[in-house]
Amino acid sequence: MAEIVKENLTDREYKYGFETIIETDQFPMGLSEDVVNKIADKRNDPQFVRDFRLKAYRHWLTLKEPTWADVRYPKIDFQGIRYYSAPKSKPDGATGPASLADIDPELIETFNKLGIPLGEQKRLTGVAIDVVFDSVSVGTSHQEELAAAGVIFCSLTEAIQKHPEIVEKHLGKIVPYKDNYYAALNSAVFTDGSFVYIPKGVRCPLDLSTYFRINAKETGQFERTLIVAEAGSYVSYLEGCTAPMRDENQLHAAVVELITFDDAEIKYSTVQNWYSGDKDGRGGIYNFVTKRGLCQGTNSKISWTQVESGSSITWKYPSVILQGDNSSGEFYSVALTNHRMQADTGTKMVHIGKNTSSRIISKGISCDQSRNTYRGQVKILPSAESARNYSQCDSMLVGDQCTANTHPYLEVKNKSAIVEHEATTSKISGDHIFYMKSRGVDEEGAVSLLLHGFCKEVFKTLPLEFSIEAVKLLEMKLEGSVG
Amino acid sequence: MLEIKNLHAAVDGKEILSGLNLKVNAGEVHAIMGPNGSGKSTLSKVLAGHPDYTVSSGHIEFEVNLRMKNVLDMAPEERARNGIFLAFQYPVEIPGVPNSAFLKASYNAICKHQGAKEATDEMFGRILIEKCKLLNMDEKFIDREVNVAFSGGEKKRNEILQMAVIQPRLAFLDETDSGLDVDSLRIVAEGVNKLRKKDNAIVLVTHYQRILNYIVPDFVHVLYKGRIIKTGGKELALQIEANGYDQILKEFQN
């Protein structure tokens, strides 16, 4: 991944904007109970999944789109979206290809272009990859090595078929279908996503990674990811996202659920680079995502790290519910907006158990005419004796036409809590770049210094392989705006 | 080393420099004085290549490897790499970036350009400590973010620290003395003096004679309406200090 980004450093266009012409199995546009049933049929869902979908759909009908976020966009026509699209490969086309031989060569080429080789021999060592193309997963690598450790890493579709008991136990328990408008929609129509199960006491031998790609036109992507870390286990999970450049907006409404039991830890890292629209704000992905982790066990830990650099609109608050005593939650975020992008993102830390702690480090970089909002909530419930939170929200404004806002919400119901909040705002202009140039540092070097300086606490938390890619991506975007 | 010929430059469409000439040789110290609005800061910015300033005619040439090169063809970073340094009148605060990282990036960019070996963290750490000692500066400077929450005097001293690290052949100090109290002025001036060598040159752009008590110039120029209208020795500065610019301007207008 890093290679591809580096090659294109000089070219500031969105390099993942190509479209793959591929035979697909698609539903007509529109959403109804019938469509929900057809999705369940297509995927051969067991009854509990079908019921979950239908309940969610009926509930969704009673809801209104949320309007509290600081983002503006025309009303979405939910009947103008296609809710199922899959690359055609097997004659029955049911649950995606069974092996590489079944994958359309065009699709393999697509992932090569993206720097994600699907061929087993070319794969990154040390990272197992699952790839989700439009609505379905097209292949998961390193199966044998993972199986030897007892780790299950597969598409959610496969998990529903092969491990229904685990899925049933956790699906919709962390993010209930009633949670919010987009979570309800996702619960009704989700088509694929990743599933991870780490058994008791196992430290996952590889970083697990899912690569999400939206390709088909007028199609929504509604993936759902579930990660279960049993007592004493550990996993580091990475996700990356890209989409073709199109003039129309496309909806992406995902749900991610994480659960950790006693002494378990999940580290979840995202580099989100969906197409963000052109400089006038035409096109781009609406990224409306619900991500939540539940630290159910004592001493358990969930850590979110996100690098948000794409999507025309982002609405996303990866949160942690700290239920187990001594559990801890972290949220590290860099959100860069340029052109006319709008991002309303942050986190929610809910302290329930004793001695729970949370840490929030948010870095917002707004360029051009974009809007970048941090929205975060820290909630200390009466039961959370001796809870601690530290929040730091820094904004960097590049130029004088962008907007940055910070909305921290604190709700403290236990007097023993210690809650700290710090915030800074800094402004970067051509004069900063000129100053550094006058010391012999070129523009690329100047941007890199600024970015590393501003985001160092977050970059430190990114897994190495990912870190190079993410930083290059941000440098490219920022260079286009400060130059 | 530096030759400016008939330079015309404008900012926001307004001509500020109108036929400026200046010649600086290695080993010399020049002072450029002049009333407000005469074009002193514009000259500094144009020399460093600030993008807001446009040159409509004239030349700036600078000696690189024994040959005179056209400075106006060079990007700001190339000018710096070739040995031109501007100490800013208002140094910019760069949040989040430690002084050490900035200085190292600068030092290495210049080394690389000149075909010298780039410094490792360890080597560079030693260089920084040595320069801080030379300038009597607290080593804590190194770890602070570039100019962030620095006092006016600290910012100016930080410029001189950069100069000490980069070791330019031509240092243009734009009102480095402005806003400094007597002690800070002395410290900054002593720092500059320690960096004087026979193969480098210093140009002090200033409003006041007092810095020239510490850094004694070989030439003093009076800049007015974008041109140098009078050149003299260090006594010219004393004369200006005593009588103001009126007399000189009158001579010029006659």
Side-chain angles (χ1 to χ4, degrees):
Chain A
M1 286 183 217
E3 275 303 299
I4 256 219
V5 176
K6 223 178 290 166
E7 261 172 42
N8 299 319
L9 247 183
T10 47
D11 187 348
R12 288 172 192 143
E13 291 292 301
Y14 184 73
K15 297 307 285 192
Y16 310 105
F18 61 86
E19 178 182 354
T20 307
I21 308 298
I22 196 167
E23 245 190 287
T24 50
D25 179 14
Q26 286 187 331
F27 279 13
M29 285 185 220
L31 183 57
S32 63
E33 194 154 319
D34 186 43
V35 167
V36 174
N37 268 312
K38 275 188 179 143
I39 292 172
D41 292 344
K42 195 92 196 160
R43 298 164 31 87
N44 201 14
D45 278 344
Q47 196 58 40
F48 82 89
V49 177
R50 186 184 295 265
D51 291 346
F52 179 69
R53 289 181 187 281
L54 290 170
K55 274 191 282 186
Y57 176 69
R58 288 170 199 151
H59 182 70
W60 179 72
L61 289 176
T62 69
L63 299 175
K64 284 210 166 66
E65 271 183 79
T67 52
W68 45 264
D70 190 14
V71 292
R72 292 128 201 223
Y73 56 95
K75 208 165 164 45
I76 297 172
D77 174 12
F78 289 93
Q79 298 306 330
I81 295 172
R82 209 184 299 284
Y83 290 84
Y84 186 84
S85 169
K88 214 177 248 176
S89 45
K90 283 191 295 186
D92 59 15
T95 53
S99 79
L100 265 178
D102 296 329
I103 299 176
D104 188 324
E106 190 63 35
L107 191 57
I108 295 180
E109 187 46 39
T110 297
F111 283 98
N112 282 340
K113 263 198 232 174
L114 294 168
I116 321 280
L118 286 177
E120 192 76 57
Q121 72 282 5
K122 288 187 205 153
R123 276 179 193 152
L124 298 167
T125 47
V127 183
I129 301 179
D130 182 32
V131 167
V132 176
F133 191 82
D134 287 337
S135 304
V136 300
S137 166
V138 295
T140 311
S141 71
H142 292 83
Q143 284 302 336
E144 284 170 23
E145 201 175 344
L146 295 171
V151 171
I152 305 169
F153 177 41
C154 62
S155 68
L156 187 62
T157 306
E158 195 180 328
I160 288 170
Q161 302 298 331
K162 291 188 180 161
H163 312 281
E165 68 298 341
I166 312 178
V167 176
E168 186 167 10
K169 198 169 159 191
H170 300 291
L171 185 78
K173 299 299 188 302
I174 301 133
V175 178
Y177 66 83
K178 286 188 175 171
D179 193 79
N180 68 69
Y181 189 82
Y182 294 105
L185 178 63
N186 174 288
S187 302
V189 303
F190 73 92
T191 36
D192 217 335
S194 284
F195 173 77
V196 176
Y197 178 81
I198 315 289
K200 235 177 193 168
V202 170
R203 197 179 165 87
C204 187
L206 298 163
D207 280 359
L208 305 181
S209 171
T210 299
Y211 195 88
F212 294 99
R213 172 78 178 168
I214 296 177
N215 187 63
K217 216 173 169 174
E218 295 149 342
T219 302
Q221 180 146 331
F222 305 95
E223 84 269 0
R224 197 167 177 110
T225 293
L226 173 62
I227 302 180
V228 181
E230 293 285 7
S233 68
Y234 169 85
V235 64
S236 167
Y237 178 90
L238 333 166
E239 67 173 358
C241 334
T242 61
M245 285 158 76
R246 296 188 192 286
D247 285 346
E248 317 83 50
N249 296 103
Q250 270 176 293
L251 178 64
H252 170 253
V255 168
V256 175
E257 298 179 283
L258 315 181
I259 182 162
T260 49
F261 293 92
D262 291 356
D263 305 301
E265 179 178 349
I266 298 173
K267 184 173 161 52
Y268 193 108
S269 315
T270 304
V271 173
Q272 186 266 104
N273 187 26
W274 297 121
Y275 178 52
S276 60
D278 65 12
K279 63 181 184 354
D280 300 317
R282 231 188 340 262
I285 302 292
Y286 291 168
N287 188 35
F288 301 156
V289 173
T290 307
K291 289 181 165 178
R292 189 173 304 148
L294 171 62
C295 284
Q296 184 161 310
T298 55
N299 299 314
S300 64
K301 183 175 175 185
I302 289 175
S303 179
W304 298 101
T305 298
Q306 60 172 22
V307 171
E308 298 285 311
S309 67
S311 299
S312 63
I313 301 178
T314 298
W315 180 95
K316 177 180 167 187
Y317 316 89
S319 34
V320 184
I321 298 170
L322 299 154
Q323 188 182 323
D325 292 347
N326 305 315
S327 61
S328 63
E330 293 175 336
F331 174 75
Y332 295 98
S333 169
V334 174
L336 185 149
T337 53
N338 68 351
H339 300 333
R340 289 173 189 267
M341 284 166 65
Q342 306 176 60
D344 193 304
T345 183
T347 185
K348 200 159 145 184
M349 295 288 176
V350 182
H351 294 251
I352 302 170
K354 295 187 184 70
N355 298 313
T356 46
S357 63
S358 61
R359 186 177 168 83
I360 298 169
I361 308 286
S362 162
K363 306 282 178 175
I365 304 172
S366 348
C367 313
D368 307 324
Q369 287 151 299
S370 64
R371 305 177 70 84
N372 198 329
T373 299
Y374 167 81
R375 191 182 302 277
Q377 185 180 39
V378 176
K379 207 169 175 175
I380 314 265
L381 297 186
S383 55
E385 200 63 34
S386 303
R388 288 205 66 139
N389 161 265
Y390 173 76
S391 303
Q392 187 187 332
C393 304
D394 299 326
S395 307
M396 185 194 270
L397 296 152
V398 178
D400 50 14
Q401 294 185 63
C402 55
T403 313
N405 289 302
T406 302
H407 302 286
Y409 304 94
L410 293 175
E411 198 181 308
V412 181
K413 299 260 171 69
N414 184 312
K415 280 184 186 158
S416 64
I418 301 174
V419 176
E420 292 170 81
H421 181 90
E422 285 180 32
T424 66
T425 303
S426 49
K427 203 169 169 231
I428 297 299
S429 65
D431 279 342
H432 289 83
I433 303 295
F434 175 66
Y435 185 68
M436 291 192 266
K437 281 184 174 175
S438 78
R439 301 298 181 248
V441 180
D442 61 15
E443 190 161 306
E444 206 181 312
V447 164
S448 172
L449 275 170
L450 281 171
L451 198 63
H452 280 270
F454 186 64
C455 305
K456 53 182 172 285
E457 298 101 320
V458 178
F459 287 170
K460 265 196 310 217
T461 68
L462 280 170
L464 189 66
E465 182 67 30
F466 230 35
S467 163
I468 299 164
E469 180 197 20
V471 172
K472 286 287 170 204
L473 183 65
L474 291 170
E475 282 176 358
M476 268 164 55
K477 284 220 158 184
L478 193 54
E479 226 188 302
S481 295
V482 296
Chain B
M1 169 186 280
L2 175 76
E3 191 160 7
I4 300 176
K5 283 185 221 159
N6 195 27
L7 186 69
H8 290 256
V11 62
D12 293 332
K14 191 174 172 233
E15 185 169 278
I16 309 287
L17 299 181
S18 317
L20 185 137
N21 293 293
L22 178 69
K23 198 170 171 182
V24 178
N25 295 310
E28 293 175 349
V29 174
H30 291 240
I32 297 178
M33 303 180 76
N36 288 329
S38 57
K40 299 191 298 293
S41 283
T42 297
L43 175 60
S44 308
K45 294 273 172 55
V46 169
L47 182 67
H50 194 290
D52 290 351
Y53 295 78
T54 51
V55 172
S56 54
S57 65
H59 301 281
I60 303 179
E61 291 186 334
F62 184 65
E63 187 196 310
V64 179
N65 297 327
L66 304 173
R67 288 167 67 175
M68 296 306 275
K69 289 265 172 73
N70 183 358
V71 172
L72 297 174
D73 279 350
M74 299 178 197
E77 61 271 29
E78 286 177 78
R79 300 179 192 200
R81 291 170 189 176
N82 281 313
I84 297 174
F85 177 88
L86 171 65
F88 281 60
Q89 183 180 1
Y90 302 110
V92 180
E93 297 187 10
I94 309 178
V97 180
N99 239 341
S100 55
F102 177 48
L103 284 165
K104 184 171 168 245
S106 166
Y107 182 84
N108 279 344
I110 291 166
C111 283
K112 195 174 168 193
H113 177 78
Q114 295 174 349
K117 212 176 142 207
E118 291 175 53
T120 60
D121 279 347
E122 201 198 348
M123 280 160 64
F124 192 69
R126 281 200 300 271
I127 294 172
L128 276 181
I129 289 169
E130 176 203 316
K131 298 299 177 189
C132 283
K133 274 198 188 121
L134 177 76
L135 300 175
N136 262 326
M137 285 170 72
D138 193 330
E139 284 170 25
K140 281 184 193 139
F141 251 66
I142 298 171
D143 301 318
R144 291 172 66 181
E145 294 174 19
V146 181
N147 296 326
V148 175
F150 278 33
S151 70
E154 284 176 331
K155 282 184 184 170
K156 299 296 172 85
R157 286 173 72 184
N158 203 26
E159 295 291 287
I160 305 306
L161 175 64
Q162 293 177 22
M163 178 179 161
V165 169
I166 295 174
Q167 302 192 47
R169 288 186 296 125
L170 174 69
F172 224 84
L173 311 184
D174 188 8
E175 300 198 24
T176 299
D177 54 334
S178 296
L180 294 186
D181 59 36
V182 183
D183 293 326
S184 304
L185 178 69
R186 187 178 42 79
I187 294 166
V188 165
E190 279 171 4
V192 173
N193 278 330
K194 284 180 184 162
L195 301 172
R196 277 179 79 166
K197 286 184 191 140
K198 66 174 181 346
D199 52 1
N200 66 20
I202 292 167
V203 178
L204 300 159
V205 175
T206 180
H207 269 294
Y208 307 105
Q209 191 274 334
R210 57 178 193 164
I211 193 172
L212 307 179
N213 290 335
Y214 298 99
I215 310 170
V216 181
D218 301 301
F219 300 96
V220 174
H221 309 277
V222 176
L223 183 63
Y224 180 62
K225 287 192 174 169
R227 293 164 66 182
I228 286 173
I229 57 165
K230 191 176 171 89
T231 294
K234 61 182 183 216
E235 66 290 344
L236 179 57
L238 293 167
Q239 189 192 325
I240 292 168
E241 181 84 349
N243 308 325
Y245 291 106
D246 282 1
Q247 200 187 333
I248 298 166
L249 299 188
K250 260 181 217 151
E251 281 171 31
F252 169 68
Q253 273 145 6
N254 295 334

